[in-house]
Amino acid sequence: MKISELFNENEKPLDSIPANGGFCGIFRKIGCVGDSMSSGEFEAINEKGEKTYHDMFEYSWGQFLARMTGTTVYNFSRGGMTAKEYCESFAEQNDFWNSEKKCAAYIIALGVNDIMNMKMPVGTVNDIDFVNYEKNKATFAGYYAKIIQKYKEIQPDAKFFLMTIPNDSAWDYNRKEHSELMYKFAEIFSNCYVIDLGKYGPVFDEDFKKKFFMGGHMNPCGYNLIAQMVMSHIDYIIRHNMDDFRQVGFIGTELKYKE
């Protein structure tokens, strides 16, 4: 094994898919905040020909990731979830702010329902109150930032991975603006990184959907593929920012290492 190959400057995030998640496995607890894609939602057709929707968390990409890496993964998600609902009711009702569930890393995958289906204003980083997140403005940016701020309060040294919207023409509405916002968040919040499936992931075209979708949502292979891409991207981020992750083992403790 050539260690130098782990740090190839010309490598892109999804050039290689480590079978066991690579360095993604350094996190012992990960929280996945998201909507249907994070919940393993399947679409079915009943006897009346009506569509029904079912969150089957064991098929979510988070649980595929858990089985591949041996990491504990919490599904802080539900089909149709928005950042607004997560902040205003869902997280509290489901005890997701509980400090006993604090994680070393959080993967946040929200936006489709907020800005595309609900047509909520995307907003900007100017919508964030860095002193009191309860005063954030009622935009997607304001609610999304509150999620980061709240979990930072619960687990100050946690790492955050913010997922862009995949490259699907059906989701083109404000997808670019959403992506730019994720990168802005990564700049202004410490320990924040972007998982850019929109830029580096496959195009969700007709051929892709024939293989990996079942109606308007993914099939088991689709969620498995997302897990592989998420793990690969996190592994890439860690390998190209090694100093940022050297003390992951101390997250949640009072221990620190100083040169």
Side-chain angles (χ1 to χ4, degrees), residues 3 7 11 26 41 51 63-64 68 78 98 123 136 146 156 160 165 174 198 200 208 218 224 229 239 253:
I3 293 297
F7 309 107
E11 177 191 17
I26 68 175
E41 184 164 304
K51 294 181 179 180
Q63 294 309 316
F64 277 116
M68 292 174 188
R78 195 205 66 209
N98 190 332
N136 287 3
K146 180 179 177 179
F160 290 81
I165 297 170
N174 277 346
Y200 298 110
F208 181 91
M218 292 189 130
N224 185 293
M229 292 193 290
R239 287 187 289 105
T253 76

Side-chain angles (χ1 to χ4, degrees), residues 30 32 38 56-69 71-75 227:
I30 296 175
C32 295
S38 299
M56 300 182 70
F57 294 105
E58 66 268 34
Y59 283 99
S60 67
W61 57 259
Q63 294 309 316
F64 277 116
L65 185 154
R67 291 188 288 271
M68 292 174 188
T69 62
T71 297
T72 296
V73 175
Y74 294 116
N75 288 99

Side-chain angles (χ1 to χ4, degrees), residues 11-241:
E11 177 191 17
K12 295 180 180 178
L14 302 183
D15 281 352
S16 62
I17 307 291
N20 64 350
F23 288 118
C24 183
I26 68 175
F27 299 109
R28 305 318 302 149
K29 288 186 179 180
I30 296 175
C32 295
V33 179
D35 49 34
S36 59
M37 181 176 283
S38 299
S39 304
E41 184 164 304
F42 292 142
E43 185 175 314
I45 305 293
N46 64 21
E47 294 179 353
K48 297 180 181 179
E50 301 167 330
K51 294 181 179 180
T52 60
Y53 302 93
H54 311 271
D55 286 346
M56 300 182 70
F57 294 105
E58 66 268 34
Y59 283 99
S60 67
W61 57 259
Q63 294 309 316
F64 277 116
L65 185 154
R67 291 188 288 271
M68 292 174 188
T69 62
T71 297
T72 296
V73 175
Y74 294 116
N75 288 99
F76 297 149
S77 63
R78 195 205 66 209
M81 186 50 52
T82 63
K84 180 179 187 292
E85 183 181 355
Y86 196 90
C87 290
E88 292 186 343
S89 60
F90 183 70
E92 184 70 30
Q93 290 170 357
N94 290 276
D95 205 26
F96 291 158
W97 301 133
N98 190 332
S99 62
E100 292 185 2
K101 297 179 180 178
K102 61 186 178 183
C103 300
Y106 294 89
I107 305 171
I108 307 178
L110 289 169
V112 171
N113 293 307
D114 299 83
I115 63 178
M116 298 183 187
N117 296 338
M118 303 302 292
K119 300 297 188 289
M120 173 172 279
V122 176
T124 71
V125 295
N126 294 325
D127 298 336
I128 305 169
D129 188 315
F130 291 96
V131 177
N132 183 358
Y133 52 70
E134 298 295 352
K135 294 182 179 180
N136 287 3
K137 292 184 180 178
T139 63
F140 173 69
Y143 286 115
Y144 193 105
K146 180 179 177 179
I147 296 172
I148 298 174
Q149 291 169 290
K150 182 73 173 180
Y151 280 123
K152 276 183 167 290
E153 184 177 78
I154 294 169
Q155 186 73 288
D157 294 323
K159 306 297 184 180
F160 290 81
F161 300 95
L162 317 180
M163 193 181 299
T164 66
I165 297 170
N167 189 355
D168 186 332
S169 60
W171 298 337
D172 274 348
Y173 178 79
N174 277 346
R175 183 166 64 85
K176 182 175 181 292
E177 195 173 352
H178 177 279
S179 175
E180 291 173 349
L181 182 63
M182 296 301 102
Y183 279 98
K184 285 289 186 181
F185 281 147
E187 289 178 8
I188 63 176
F189 287 115
S190 63
N191 292 318
C192 276
Y193 309 86
V194 178
I195 297 176
D196 200 339
L197 296 189
K199 181 177 181 179
Y200 298 110
V203 177
F204 285 21
D205 56 17
E206 183 178 355
D207 182 61
F208 181 91
K209 290 185 176 182
K210 284 181 179 179
K211 293 180 175 68
F212 296 107
F213 271 66
M214 187 165 61
H217 292 79
M218 292 189 130
N219 62 29
C221 289
Y223 291 121
N224 185 293
L225 179 64
I226 296 295
Q228 294 182 54
M229 292 193 290
V230 169
M231 291 188 306
S232 174
H233 212 310
I234 293 176
D235 172 71
Y236 169 89
I237 290 170
I238 293 171
R239 287 187 289 105
H240 290 268
N241 299 274

